[in-house]
C-alpha cells in the first residue's frame, strides 16, 4: 500500500486559516473511511474530523464549525480546511485510513484506523 503523506502545515496567527492535505493514492475508493487526528506534546492523540466510506462526516466539538474535512477521489487526496485557528489547535496533525465503513463515533477513534501518515505540524500563535 502506498503510504499516506500529509502536507500543508505551517505557522499562522490566531484567527488565520490553513488547509492541510493527505496524499492517499490507493485509499481513494469507496471502501475506505479516513480521518484527521492531532497530538500536542504531552497529550493523547485526539480525533479531529472523520469521513466514512459513505461520505458521512463528523467533527470533534472543539473544531465543529471551524474545520471541514473533504476528499477528492479523482486526485486521491484528503483535505482538512481549518478556519479561525486558535492557539489550542497547535499540534501535529495525522491522516489515517480504515478499510471499512465506520460509524460517526468510530471515525473519531484512532483504534479503528490501521494506516497512518507521518504528520504535519500546525502552529498557531496568539
Amino acid at each position: 500500500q502506498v503510504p499516506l503523506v500529509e502536507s500543508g502545515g505551517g505557522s499562522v496567527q490566531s484567527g488565520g486559516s490553513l488547509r492541510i492535505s493527505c496524499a492517499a493514492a490507493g485509499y481513494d475508493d469507496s471502501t475506505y473511511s479516513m480521518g484527521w487526528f492531532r497530538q500536542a506534546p504531552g497529550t493523547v492523540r485526539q480525533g479531529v474530523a472523520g469521513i466514512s466510506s459513505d461520505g458521512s462526516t463528523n467533527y470533534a466539538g472543539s473544531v465543529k464549525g471551524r474545520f471541514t474535512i473533504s476528499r477528492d477521489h479523482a486526485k486521491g487526496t484528503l483535505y482538512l480546511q481549518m478556519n479561525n485557528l486558535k492557539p489550542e489547535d497547535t499540534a501535529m496533525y495525522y491522516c489515517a485510513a480504515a478499510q471499512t465503513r465506520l460509524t460517526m463515533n468510530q471515525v473519531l477513534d484512532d483504534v479503528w484506523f490501521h494506516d497512518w501518515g507521518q504528520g504535519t505540524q500546525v502552529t498557531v500563535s496568539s
Side-chain angles (χ1 to χ4, degrees), residues 81-124:
Q81 176 68 44
M82 303 182 290
N83 298 327
N84 190 22
L85 282 160
K86 304 176 181 181
E88 52 264 41
D89 295 318
T90 295
M92 185 73 79
Y93 283 71
Y94 301 90
C95 70
Q99 193 177 11
T100 187
R101 177 180 174 182
L102 298 179
T103 68
M104 289 301 93
N105 286 333
Q106 290 172 335
V107 294
L108 296 180
D109 188 343
D110 60 2
V111 301
W112 297 100
F113 292 84
H114 50 71
D115 288 342
W116 293 83
Q118 84 291 346
T120 187
Q121 178 68 37
V122 172
T123 302
V124 184

Side-chain angles (χ1 to χ4, degrees), residues 28-39:
D28 54 354
D29 65 37
S30 60
T31 64
Y32 283 92
S33 298
M34 304 288 294
W36 285 101
F37 295 80
R38 68 186 181 188
Q39 187 169 21

Side-chain angles (χ1 to χ4, degrees), residues 36-86:
W36 285 101
F37 295 80
R38 68 186 181 188
Q39 187 169 21
T43 69
V44 299
R45 189 161 55 193
Q46 173 193 21
V48 176
I51 182 165
S52 188
S53 56
D54 65 359
S56 302
T57 59
N58 197 18
Y59 300 88
S62 60
V63 307
K64 197 169 292 185
R66 300 189 296 123
F67 290 13
T68 303
I69 188 172
S70 62
R71 64 196 303 180
D72 186 327
H73 288 284
K75 295 183 178 180
T77 304
L78 179 74
Y79 301 100
L80 185 67
Q81 176 68 44
M82 303 182 290
N83 298 327
N84 190 22
L85 282 160
K86 304 176 181 181

